[in-house]
Amino acid sequence: MLRLACGPIGSRPVNQANTGGGMRRIDKLVGLIVGTLAFALIGSQPCAAAEPAPRDGGSLIMATSGQIQGFDPLTMRAANRETIMAGALVFSNFFTLDDKGERVPDLATSLDGSPDGLTWRLKLRPGLKFSNGAPYTSRDVVRHFQRILDPTKNQAFAAAIGELKEAVAIDDTTVEFHLAYARAAFQTIFSTDNHLIWAMPIEHQDSAGPDLNRRPIGAGPYVMTDWKQDDSITFEKNPNYWNPRAQHLDKVVIRFLPDTTARFTAVKTGDIDVFYEPLGKQVNEARNDKTLKVVEYTGTGASTLNINTSSPPLNDIRVRLALAHALDRNVELKVAYDGVGKLATSFWGPGSVWNCPDVGYPEYNPEKAKALLKDYGKPVKIVLQAQPAQAVPAQLYQSFWQKVGIETEIKSIQGGPSYINPVLRGDYQIAFWEVVDVPDPDFQVYQAFFSKSGGNITKISAPKLDEAIEAGRRSLDVGVRKKAYCDVSKEMAKQMPILLRTQSNYSAITQARVHDIPPLRRGLVRLNAVWVDPK
């Protein structure tokens, strides 16, 4: 049997989720935004050659630059992409998204909300089981959210759902969520791969103790069978998964291979099947290699440089603006990215419904940068934190800033907790970072840039920015939210807590034998239903 490969990259036939209930109006508004956004970002592809139907069996190896940090959100300080991709295999999701951004049932069958947006009811799929055979019930989900909200526990992630007052088990398959205030973004956590929904059996949570982070039990399509620290982590089929027809691979291995050149060599020689996070020049080379495939996706969000606005001399807006005016970003795009991607002037690019044109982002103007520094009147010395793979753009920034009189030290740190934790602690000046691609802008701006969020790692404190962020978070009206996030973009350009680089442009290079990788939302390579041709 053959399938005609038409439509968006990674598309495959799916069924729509049930989205009925009293909250239908609000649900449709948010769904319209997410769906329109997804369609605009992915775009449609012309019909290609017929593709064979999925095959079962075989194994797949993906190499990544960062290590998996674990599976318990109360143990982790931060969750990188590698962690989220591994977690998706073990825990799956309540809903997935099709290529138009519409919800598709997975562990749950419906999510309904009250007219005032304060109550949401999640209906689990009947008969669900964890990989150890224990029933997956509403009580396990409720216990999971209770742990996240427990003020005596690690609160690193609780701020992401600060509106949640409680989760209540109505019956074995029904969970009701009560919010302190209406928030349109709340429902998106149930259809986005993320650590906030990684429920485990209550008995396992109680008995595993500190080892819970390394001994996950979920209801996703795969189970973790081996974890070799600093090397690889292996997953095999979950015998109790509710949808065995979607379990095509016998084994998935995620290898830690930090060197980008080594990952590219490995995918070209066939030692690995998926090369995650290639460089622009490698993407261009792979496009011309018939033995390889390139999966690409442009999302909301942007690659950035975070600025610690509490650290002198960066606590002065003149210095921050000078940093921006000194950068020739077109040169960076050509040299560091090999021309792959698009420059950002806001998180939300032209394909996004949240896009706001002409926000006033500082243009390349070295003379203006020099004038700002002269007005500041003191020598400017800064430290730029970068990972080894970011050496080229880091050196470019150092060069650009040196030309206007800014002395820059490059501090190279290997990816993972060693890189992330100093930023989370505020122990940095400027660091390569990212505003991630997510279904709702509230997740992109509230925790990171609202002055009192608890996760404001740039330490920015600007009343107008806070006002705009709060307006976007609290309203259920799409028009009000669009204006609010336009105001956010304009205030960010004035306050400069971050320097924008490119729009989120995600890509992966795979062997030709790899099929059905879905759109790389949030930059994640979702392997749950991927299949391979036999070697």
Side-chain angles (χ1 to χ4, degrees):
M1 186 176 116
L2 296 179
R3 296 180 301 157
L4 192 58
C6 306
I9 295 173
S11 64
R12 55 190 187 276
V14 291
N15 296 318
Q16 295 297 314
N18 171 22
T19 57
M23 193 62 172
R24 187 182 298 273
R25 179 184 63 85
I26 295 173
D27 199 33
K28 283 187 175 180
L29 285 173
V30 178
L32 173 63
I33 291 170
V34 175
T36 304
L37 174 62
F39 183 78
L41 294 175
I42 301 171
S44 59
Q45 302 295 318
C47 291
E51 190 171 300
R55 300 187 185 199
D56 292 340
S59 61
L60 178 144
I61 303 173
M62 179 171 72
T64 65
S65 61
Q67 297 196 55
I68 294 164
Q69 297 171 322
F71 301 90
D72 177 24
L74 297 185
T75 302
M76 293 179 289
R77 182 72 177 98
N80 57 7
R81 282 202 185 93
E82 291 79 6
T83 298
I84 299 297
M85 289 187 286
L89 292 168
V90 174
F91 299 101
S92 195
N93 215 335
F94 292 112
F95 302 93
T96 57
L97 297 176
D98 65 16
D99 294 326
K100 292 184 179 180
E102 299 292 332
R103 285 206 304 249
V104 179
D106 194 334
L107 300 183
T109 58
S110 66
L111 178 65
D112 303 322
S114 63
D116 59 8
L118 296 177
T119 303
W120 290 88
R121 182 168 283 198
L122 180 74
K123 194 72 175 177
L124 300 177
R125 186 178 296 278
L128 283 177
K129 292 183 179 180
F130 286 103
S131 59
N132 66 350
Y136 185 111
T137 73
S138 58
R139 288 179 288 279
D140 299 291
V141 176
V142 167
R143 172 66 177 276
H144 170 74
F145 280 95
Q146 287 173 341
R147 292 182 73 236
I148 289 179
L149 296 179
D150 185 346
T152 68
K153 307 292 185 182
N154 178 2
Q155 291 293 288
F157 298 123
I161 50 173
E163 73 279 16
L164 179 61
K165 291 196 302 183
E166 62 177 352
V168 179
I170 304 301
D171 55 38
D172 284 351
T173 60
T174 308
V175 183
E176 196 165 89
F177 297 91
H178 300 153
L179 309 188
Y181 56 87
R183 181 186 175 208
F186 175 74
Q187 65 169 317
T188 63
I189 69 170
F190 300 100
S191 53
T192 305
D193 287 317
N194 68 91
H195 47 273
L196 293 173
I197 56 173
W198 291 354
M200 298 194 218
I202 292 175
E203 294 77 10
H204 181 60
Q205 293 178 30
D206 293 338
S207 62
D211 292 336
L212 186 65
N213 195 47
R214 295 181 64 90
R215 292 173 52 199
I217 293 178
Y222 293 89
V223 296
M224 189 194 77
T225 56
D226 187 38
W227 189 340
K228 298 177 181 177
Q229 189 65 39
D230 300 327
D231 181 74
S232 64
I233 185 166
T234 301
F235 306 86
E236 296 181 10
K237 282 185 177 181
N238 170 8
N240 292 302
Y241 186 52
W242 73 270
N243 186 18
R245 291 177 299 175
Q247 292 174 290
H248 302 304
L249 297 167
D250 293 330
K251 181 185 296 185
V252 176
V253 178
I254 299 179
R255 283 183 56 192
F256 173 54
L257 195 59
D259 184 75
T260 306
T261 302
R263 292 201 302 278
F264 192 35
T265 299
V267 77
K268 287 192 293 185
T269 58
D271 291 335
I272 65 172
D273 300 291
V274 181
F275 169 20
Y276 175 62
E277 288 187 321
L279 299 175
K281 63 181 179 180
Q282 295 166 333
V283 170
N284 287 331
E285 182 178 337
R287 286 170 177 164
N288 297 315
D289 188 333
K290 294 182 179 179
T291 67
L292 301 174
K293 295 194 295 190
V294 178
V295 182
E296 298 180 88
Y297 177 79
T298 300
T300 65
S303 57
T304 67
L305 289 179
N306 273 16
I307 300 175
N308 185 347
T309 63
S310 68
S311 176
L314 300 171
N315 59 340
D316 194 294
I317 185 60
R318 292 169 294 185
V319 175
R320 301 200 297 270
L321 287 170
L323 291 170
H325 283 300
L327 297 178
D328 190 340
R329 299 192 302 147
N330 284 301
V331 170
E332 182 193 7
L333 182 65
K334 181 178 180 180
V335 175
Y337 290 95
D338 208 40
V340 175
K342 295 180 180 179
L343 295 179
T345 57
S346 169
F347 307 154
W348 309 295
S352 169
V353 296
W354 306 108
N355 180 55
C356 181
D358 303 322
V359 300
Y361 189 82
E363 75 286 354
Y364 174 55
N365 189 333
E367 295 306 315
K368 193 168 185 177
K370 292 177 182 178
L372 286 163
L373 293 171
K374 183 178 180 181
D375 189 48
Y376 176 66
K378 304 174 188 176
V380 175
K381 297 181 180 180
I382 57 175
V383 178
L384 173 61
Q385 177 177 310
Q387 298 181 48
Q390 296 154 341
V392 172
Q395 291 164 5
L396 279 175
Y397 286 123
Q398 184 183 49
S399 174
F400 289 141
W401 289 332
Q402 183 179 1
K403 289 178 182 177
V404 299
I406 298 174
E407 183 179 334
T408 306
E409 174 191 344
I410 298 174
K411 185 177 183 180
S412 182
I413 303 177
Q414 188 60 258
S418 297
Y419 187 92
I420 294 171
N421 289 340
V423 180
L424 298 178
R425 292 194 305 265
D427 185 20
Y428 78 104
Q429 284 200 305
I430 303 180
F432 283 85
W433 207 254
E434 181 183 12
V435 176
V436 297
D437 170 57
V438 289
D440 192 281
D442 179 67
F443 286 111
Q444 293 169 313
V445 299
Y446 182 83
Q447 192 168 3
F449 304 110
F450 188 73
S451 63
K452 299 178 182 178
S453 72
N456 177 13
I457 54 181
T458 65
K459 311 299 181 185
I460 190 67
S461 181
K464 288 186 178 180
L465 181 59
D466 278 355
E467 183 180 341
I469 291 173
E470 190 76 357
R473 161 168 274 224
R474 298 281 183 146
S475 179
L476 297 176
D477 185 283
V478 175
V480 171
R481 301 189 76 213
K482 282 186 177 181
K483 181 184 182 304
Y485 291 121
C486 192
D487 290 341
V488 168
S489 294
K490 292 176 180 178
E491 286 301 312
M492 292 287 284
K494 291 178 182 177
Q495 298 296 328
M496 296 306 299
I498 61 173
L499 299 174
L500 292 171
R501 302 176 67 214
T502 64
Q503 290 294 147
S504 297
N505 185 67
Y506 306 116
S507 55
I509 299 172
T510 79
Q511 290 282 316
R513 65 191 288 264
V514 178
H515 303 275
D516 274 358
I517 289 181
L520 307 182
R521 294 186 177 94
R522 299 183 66 206
L524 303 175
V525 181
R526 199 171 202 272
L527 301 172
N528 292 33
V530 169
W531 60 279
V532 296
D533 294 323
K535 287 188 176 181

